[in-house]
Amino acid sequence: MRNVREFIWPVIGLLAIILSGWILYDRLHGMSFNEVWGSLTAVPPHRYALAALSTLVAYAALAWYDRIALLHLGVRHISWLFVSVTSFTTYALSHNIGASVFSGAVVRYRAYTSKGLGAPQIAVLVALCSFTFGLGTILLGGVVLVADPTLLHRLEDLLPSMLTNPATARIFGLLLLGFVALYVIGSVLHLPPLVIRKAKLEYPRPAIMARQLIAAPLELLGAAGIIYFVLPAHLEPSFIIVLAVFLASFSAALVSHAPGGLGVFELVFLTAMPDIPKADVLAALIIFRLFYLLIPFALSLVVVLMFERARLAQAWRGRAAADRSVPPPPLSSSDQ
């Protein structure tokens, strides 16, 4: 059954890409490359600079995820630089390839075992980082739905009408905020661990919890900012709308298990932004993929190669030193 589950998720991701690609082709049919290129060249340089800064903010917050998890484990001897590079490489690979194919846990395991961490500690670190991201999505999702419950109207072509109803959306937003409030209360009051089957989830210390509530939204705000700054300023797109659409698109992309959310992310975003020309939206999504996914992916491959080369060289030096320390065998009588 485990092998079946490992096989079926990549298949689901591939089907999501095919279906989304077919729908996108139908919706974008007739759009020319020149239209998209025109949208890309119309973006002022300072807006590209702000999008690049947003990317740095997002990846800095992701590095903070790892740092928070290490503090939760009581690990303080690993430098910020090592943590930042490990986090950057982990997310750059997993965002593009997909956790079902190349789990970020593998990268973290290779990196953090070199610093003395054991497998149980790394498992807790991976789980807490994943939960921190989920917590940020839930928190910001609740905030945007309570602030503007009409936002789900933008997805009426993809969601049942009951879910796009403003009253239902606001109730759902309050439930999301209620979950965050329960988590905060559990941490402050030091409630006993939550046991789900064989998994035991312990509430972190309030100081750790507070860091989570800052880092997770900061990463999502930075990622959404990449798209916001590239969209046409003269159309005055509201940041809260861009953020809400980003959260919906990114969540759908993760659920689809499509590598990099390819096709799924674009389909949801284009559907939810009908008031902005498709060429402009597509141009912004291209820049998002370039800044947030493709450039970090290329850099992460270089980091992995350098790290593995250094580990291999270290292993060879250790082996050579061990060979030199072994004394030669004594001479036998026949040799004499």
Side-chain angles (χ1 to χ4, degrees), residues 7 15 19 81 86 93 107 123 144 146 160-161 170 177 231:
F7 172 77
L15 291 175
L19 179 61
L81 178 61
T86 300
L93 289 173
V107 180
V144 297
V146 171
S161 57
R170 176 160 281 163
L177 293 179
L231 288 172

Side-chain angles (χ1 to χ4, degrees), residues 251-266:
S251 299
L254 289 176
V255 171
S256 72
H257 285 79
L262 187 62
V264 179
F265 182 81
E266 286 79 3

Side-chain angles (χ1 to χ4, degrees), residues 42-65:
V43 180
H46 76 277
R47 304 280 289 187
Y48 276 120
L50 290 171
L53 180 61
S54 296
T55 307
L56 294 177
V57 169
Y59 274 95
L62 288 173
W64 200 8
Y65 286 14

Side-chain angles (χ1 to χ4, degrees), residues 9-211:
W9 289 121
V11 172
I12 291 174
L14 178 61
L15 291 175
I17 291 176
I18 294 173
L19 179 61
S20 300
W22 180 77
I23 298 174
L24 280 172
Y25 175 80
D26 180 66
R27 296 192 178 184
L28 299 177
H29 184 65
M31 181 184 298
S32 67
F33 172 79
N34 289 335
E35 290 180 79
V36 180
W37 181 253
S39 297
L40 289 170
T41 55
V43 180
H46 76 277
R47 304 280 289 187
Y48 276 120
L50 290 171
L53 180 61
S54 296
T55 307
L56 294 177
V57 169
Y59 274 95
L62 288 173
W64 200 8
Y65 286 14
D66 280 49
R67 190 67 178 179
I68 291 169
L70 290 170
L71 290 174
H72 176 68
L73 292 168
V75 177
R76 299 177 180 274
H77 68 277
I78 304 177
S79 70
W80 254 107
L81 178 61
F82 186 90
V83 171
S84 299
V85 173
T86 300
S87 172
F88 171 81
T89 307
T90 297
Y91 287 108
L93 289 173
S94 60
H95 283 163
N96 284 276
I97 302 176
S100 59
V101 180
F102 191 98
S103 173
V106 176
V107 180
R108 285 192 173 104
Y109 181 82
R110 290 287 295 161
Y112 288 125
T113 51
S114 70
K115 295 297 183 179
L117 269 66
Q121 289 177 301
I122 297 171
V124 172
L125 184 146
V126 171
L128 191 62
C129 287
S130 298
F131 181 80
T132 300
F133 169 78
L135 185 67
T137 305
I138 291 171
L139 175 59
L140 286 182
V143 169
V144 297
L145 288 178
V146 171
D148 187 357
T150 64
L151 288 171
L152 287 183
H153 270 310
R154 293 175 170 269
L155 297 174
E156 59 185 358
D157 292 340
L158 301 176
L159 295 176
S161 57
M162 181 185 70
L163 294 179
T164 58
N165 181 279
T168 305
R170 176 160 281 163
I171 291 173
F172 184 60
L174 290 172
L175 289 175
L176 294 177
L177 293 179
F179 173 85
V180 176
L182 289 175
Y183 179 69
V184 172
I185 292 171
S187 174
V188 172
L189 298 182
H190 305 288
L191 296 182
L194 177 64
V195 179
I196 303 175
R197 294 182 180 179
K198 295 182 179 180
K200 185 171 71 171
L201 304 177
E202 295 186 5
Y203 290 98
R205 302 184 302 278
I208 299 298
M209 176 269 298
R211 288 179 172 90

